[in-house]
Amino acid sequence: MNRNDRKIAIGACAVALLSFIAFFLVDGTQDTTQVKASKVAANHAERQPATPFSGRGGTYASGNTRASRSITYATPSERTVETFPFDPNTADSTQLLRLGLQPWQVKNIYRYRAKGGIYRKKEDFARLYGLTVKEYRRLEPYIRISPDYQSAATLLKGKPRQERDTVLRPIKIDSTQHIVLNTADTNALKKVPGIGSYYARQIVRHGRWLGGYVSVDQLDEIDGFPTASKRYFVVKNATPQRLNVNKLTLYQLKRHPYINYFQAKAIIEYRRLHGPLHSLQELTPSRDFPPEAIQRLEPYIEY
């Protein structure tokens, strides 16, 4: 190929290449133009006045910009407040709302009843949180409390009083009556004014420990005994159990509340040195037996 032919071939290839490039450039420009046109159209549509449409709960406007958005909510109609007889212990939420109470007040009523609360009188309903004087005065004539929610004690009104339980709460004796100390049981002792279950048991226990009472004054030996109650007791035909001081051992003697260890030892020592006792006066030389000790022990001793 000569020089001129090469120039022509190169020129033809250049033209073909330029034509190929031009074809793709023109096609891409058209696509870009269409995209831009779409965006312009969209922006134009946004600038147009909003076209309202109706929907549930309100009327809404088309468009996306905040400036052009227009939302108009439907205004709910006011509740119709009614008044009718109701029991706050049983009224349901629908009835309470119809009466004009707020939902949170209804919730408080339900919560109060769930915890065992009871409206026993009309005034109890006035404690409802948030209830105004005006609202209470409007509802008060219509409050009806069922008798089922009244205290059970109302059933006893007008009925004769039941007889007293004389076992749990015995009837006390008066000042003209007396209780025989050695023969009375705890039930009889509790009839004495000032004597309950505790002192009744202590009286019986101390009497057994002594071997029987010989004097009402022996009740003073019970710790804290009410002195005023002594006048209701008497001792008749006292026959106390007696101790044979010549036969009993030291440990048997000291079991009596009027004989301590040293006194029992003195008795045993006297018997060892002098033989059997014939009278407690023989123990007078011992410092363990003062006159008052011998006097109170004498009714309980035999020889």
Side-chain angles (χ1 to χ4, degrees):
M1 182 180 293
N2 56 30
R3 184 176 182 182
N4 292 330
D5 292 336
R6 285 197 303 269
K7 290 181 178 180
I8 293 173
I10 292 172
C13 291
V15 172
L17 180 60
L18 292 173
S19 299
F20 182 80
I21 294 173
F23 175 80
F24 284 101
L25 289 177
V26 172
D27 185 68
T29 302
Q30 291 178 350
D31 292 342
T32 303
T33 303
Q34 290 178 356
V35 171
K36 290 183 178 180
S38 298
K39 291 183 178 180
V40 171
N43 292 333
H44 179 72
E46 290 181 357
R47 293 188 178 91
Q48 297 301 317
T51 302
F53 64 90
S54 299
R56 185 176 181 180
T59 303
Y60 302 88
S62 62
N64 296 323
T65 61
R66 183 176 300 177
S68 62
R69 185 182 302 157
S70 175
I71 303 176
T72 305
Y73 293 99
T75 303
S77 59
E78 295 183 359
R79 288 186 300 167
T80 302
V81 177
E82 305 176 38
T83 50
F84 50 85
F86 71 99
D87 187 341
N89 292 301
T90 57
D92 58 22
S93 58
T94 303
Q95 293 174 317
L96 296 172
L97 291 172
R98 286 170 55 199
L99 289 168
L101 298 178
Q102 298 299 322
W104 53 270
Q105 290 177 313
V106 175
K107 184 178 181 180
N108 287 341
I109 293 174
Y110 269 71
R111 186 177 300 168
Y112 175 73
R113 297 192 314 208
K115 292 181 178 180
I118 297 176
Y119 298 96
R120 300 188 185 278
K121 55 184 182 295
K122 293 182 177 182
E123 291 76 9
D124 292 342
F125 191 70
R127 296 190 178 95
L128 178 63
Y129 181 76
L131 189 68
T132 64
V133 174
K134 179 180 179 181
E135 291 171 337
Y136 174 73
R137 288 176 177 173
R138 177 178 62 85
L139 297 174
E140 189 269 339
Y142 299 95
I143 299 175
R144 304 287 188 269
I145 306 295
S146 173
D148 294 338
Y149 292 96
Q150 299 298 329
S151 174
T154 58
L155 299 175
L156 303 178
K157 291 183 179 180
K159 293 186 177 182
R161 188 174 181 179
Q162 299 294 328
E163 293 186 2
R164 186 175 181 175
D165 189 341
T166 57
V167 175
L168 296 178
R169 300 178 60 189
I171 299 174
K172 300 294 185 178
I173 61 176
D174 57 34
S175 58
T176 62
Q177 298 174 297
H178 296 85
I179 298 295
V180 179
L181 196 55
N182 285 318
T183 59
D185 58 11
T186 55
N187 289 330
L189 293 171
K190 286 189 290 186
K191 294 180 180 180
V192 176
I195 302 300
S197 298
Y198 172 77
Y199 283 118
R201 292 193 300 269
Q202 292 300 313
I203 291 171
V204 172
R205 177 178 176 273
H206 192 62
R208 291 174 180 171
W209 195 18
L210 288 170
Y213 290 98
V214 296
S215 172
V216 174
D217 291 333
Q218 288 176 296
L219 294 173
D220 293 331
E221 298 168 4
I222 299 174
D223 187 30
F225 188 84
T227 305
S229 299
K230 289 168 52 179
R231 62 193 180 98
Y232 295 95
F233 295 101
V234 294
V235 175
K236 294 182 179 180
N237 304 321
T239 55
Q241 296 178 2
R242 296 179 180 269
L243 306 174
N244 192 320
V245 292
N246 292 318
K247 294 182 179 180
L248 297 179
T249 65
L250 183 147
Y251 293 101
Q252 290 173 326
L253 288 170
K254 73 182 186 67
R255 290 176 61 185
H256 195 276
Y258 290 167
I259 301 177
N260 59 36
Y261 173 80
F262 299 102
Q263 290 172 331
K265 186 176 181 180
I267 293 172
I268 297 298
E269 188 67 16
Y270 182 91
R271 282 163 33 187
R272 186 180 67 82
L273 297 175
H274 305 285
L277 279 164
H278 298 91
S279 171
L280 287 182
Q281 297 300 325
E282 299 175 17
L283 299 173
T284 302
S286 173
R287 63 179 183 180
D288 294 314
F289 282 94
E292 59 272 14
I294 293 177
Q295 181 180 359
R296 71 174 184 172
L297 183 58
E298 188 69 45
Y300 300 96
I301 298 299
E302 65 180 10
Y303 305 98

